[in-house]
Amino acid sequence: MKRVFTILFMLCVATTAHGQSKIDQLFAFACNPYPTCRDGTKPNSIIQASDGNLYGTTNGPGGGGIFKLTESGQITVLYTFKTNPKTGFYDQGYSPAELAEGSDGFLYGVNSAGGPNSSSSGTIFKISKTGTGFQVLQTFCFSCTTGSAPDSIVAGSDGNMYGTTGYGGNFNFGSPYCPSLGCGVIFRLTPPGTYTVLYALNGTSDSSLPLGVIQASDGNLYGTAGSFRPGTVFKFELPNSQFTTLHNFPSGIFPLNRVTQASNGLLYGSTRPTNTTNGSFVVTIFSSTLTGNVQSLQQLTLPAKKQFAVGPFLQATDGNLWDTSYVGGTSGLGIAFAITPSGGIVDTLSFSPAVGVSPIGGVIQAKDGTLFGTASADGTVPAGETANGTVYTIKGLPAKQ
């Protein structure tokens, strides 16, 4: 039987097995005053591209933007999403999520909202790593059977990009969850920009609102669905497009993010209940085989707040699975934590206003072993400016071989 621990958010301390890891600010997004924010604000998750630089997106002011950041903290704003002065619409979309690097060397991303008219609800775009060649490849609408409100995109081993939309697709009036907004879709995008719906969830046996996919070691796509709805773990087989629900979580339990595959072949993710317990959510970390054998490994008791996010896991070079929570820690302002593949807590680091708070999107790892992530608020900036989020580092882990 797997051991299940509970880590109370007020007990989280910055300790590690070696006593080396700590959170440091690499770069802070500043305004003087808002909305005069030269580099954007409220950064989302970041990636490290093949050129060694970090790339990410911001959510404000206005429609957000795309930035490049060196490992030493030098920033370049590559693109800013703005309204069309004639129509008032964000033609390219707004509210960008994470980026992914394609096999062609371009950066691909999704905007979860916006577009050239009032019925638009998000876009897929590409841009070079120098900030040139920006293109909108796909525009979504609220009533589109091709999807609505894209939430993620990843690179596949076949050179194509894969992702999900939270809504659109199948407007199943037999489902209590998605008759008006749609149940969400899984899509493929070829590098030239050809968009194809691979599967539209049905809102019942498939659940709805998919939260992104990964390509696992068997070549198939795996993901979770059902945020604020009964949740599932699913498999989507390539190239035969067979969708299989691998696991149904109990009623009232839904996943917080997409899954991650570790070196042991298992998928890892987290769930939370719909309802609070004594003003807190009990987040359960789980593992799943590729056939859907799910086991609960660990529990985190975190304060219930209006904004609540736990990122996808990353297996780092220390062998542990690292993640972040938007809330929790000694001040309730967020934590970075690590568990062993069997579920034991080995590291819990609390965020503070000096280095940024409310982390989002988990972490990535650079070649030298450094973990990078984003905090969506606060940070340390020169006097007279206001901080609006940071890119932070966690060091002390082994370098990549």
Side-chain angles (χ1 to χ4, degrees):
M1 178 180 294
K2 296 288 183 181
R3 293 179 298 167
V4 178
F5 303 85
T6 300
I7 304 297
L8 296 177
F9 67 88
M10 68 283 289
L11 299 179
C12 293
V13 294
T15 60
T16 78
H18 303 289
Q20 295 178 336
S21 298
K22 67 174 183 175
I23 301 169
D24 288 309
Q25 175 181 296
L26 174 65
F27 179 83
F29 295 84
C31 302
N32 184 22
Y34 191 92
T36 307
C37 310
R38 57 184 176 271
D39 304 312
T41 68
K42 300 179 181 178
N44 298 308
S45 58
I46 53 177
I47 64 168
Q48 186 172 41
S50 56
D51 62 359
N53 292 313
L54 308 174
Y55 293 86
T57 60
T58 57
N59 265 325
I66 305 166
F67 66 87
K68 176 176 72 174
L69 187 71
T70 67
E71 290 188 58
S72 63
Q74 298 298 310
I75 194 168
T76 302
V77 176
L78 300 180
Y79 196 82
T80 301
F81 297 100
K82 297 180 179 179
T83 57
N84 183 326
K86 295 182 179 179
T87 65
F89 294 115
Y90 285 92
D91 290 350
Q92 292 81 35
Y94 66 91
S95 191
E98 63 185 347
L99 301 170
E101 185 177 16
S103 58
D104 57 0
F106 278 80
L107 302 175
Y108 290 79
V110 296
N111 279 315
S112 61
N117 55 59
S118 59
S119 66
S120 301
S121 64
T123 62
I124 301 176
F125 60 83
K126 68 182 288 189
I127 188 171
S128 74
K129 292 192 286 289
T130 61
T132 60
F134 180 91
Q135 289 181 269
V136 173
L137 303 176
Q138 176 72 17
T139 298
F140 298 89
C141 67
F142 288 108
S143 59
C144 286
T145 57
T146 51
S148 173
D151 50 32
S152 65
I153 192 166
V154 298
S157 59
D158 58 1
N160 295 315
M161 311 298 292
Y162 294 91
T164 59
T165 69
Y167 302 104
N170 190 340
F171 294 82
N172 184 357
F173 286 87
S175 166
Y177 308 117
C178 47
S180 58
L181 295 176
C183 307
V185 308
I186 302 169
F187 67 79
R188 177 181 65 218
L189 185 81
T190 64
T194 301
Y195 176 89
T196 304
V197 173
L198 296 178
Y199 190 79
L201 279 69
N202 62 24
T204 51
S205 60
D206 300 342
S207 190
S208 60
L209 195 65
L211 298 173
V213 292
I214 63 161
Q215 188 171 33
S217 55
D218 64 358
N220 296 315
L221 304 179
Y222 291 83
T224 53
S227 185
F228 297 103
R229 297 159 172 83
T232 64
V233 179
F234 65 81
K235 174 173 74 172
F236 185 79
E237 295 181 41
L238 296 174
N240 63 0
S241 298
Q242 176 67 42
F243 183 97
T244 303
T245 298
L246 298 177
H247 179 78
N248 290 283
F249 292 105
S251 179
I253 302 296
F254 60 86
L256 287 165
N257 215 306
R258 66 174 182 265
V259 291
T260 296
Q261 187 177 36
S263 58
N264 60 10
L266 296 178
L267 306 175
Y268 289 83
S270 55
T271 65
R272 59 162 261 201
T274 304
N275 299 319
T276 62
T277 301
N278 297 322
S280 299
F281 285 119
V282 178
V283 173
T284 298
I285 299 167
F286 69 87
S287 68
S288 175
T289 65
L290 298 188
T291 57
N293 181 11
V294 170
Q295 297 218 23
S296 297
L297 302 178
Q298 177 65 271
Q299 289 185 329
L300 301 173
T301 301
L302 298 168
K305 293 186 178 181
K306 183 177 181 181
Q307 290 183 297
F308 187 97
V310 175
F313 282 99
L314 166 84
Q315 187 171 36
T317 51
D318 62 358
N320 298 316
L321 294 152
W322 284 80
D323 204 349
T324 60
S325 169
Y326 192 89
V327 295
T330 53
S331 300
L333 300 174
I335 56 173
F337 63 95
I339 65 168
T340 66
S342 60
I345 288 281
V346 294
D347 208 342
T348 305
L349 306 172
S350 294
F351 284 82
S352 68
V355 298
V357 301
S358 304
I360 191 167
V363 295
I364 63 170
Q365 187 171 36
K367 293 180 180 179
D368 66 356
T370 300
L371 301 181
F372 292 89
T374 56
S376 58
D378 286 358
T380 300
V381 295
E385 297 186 330
T386 302
N388 282 272
T390 67
V391 175
Y392 62 84
T393 62
I394 300 174
K395 297 185 177 181
L397 281 72
K400 293 183 178 180
Q401 299 298 315

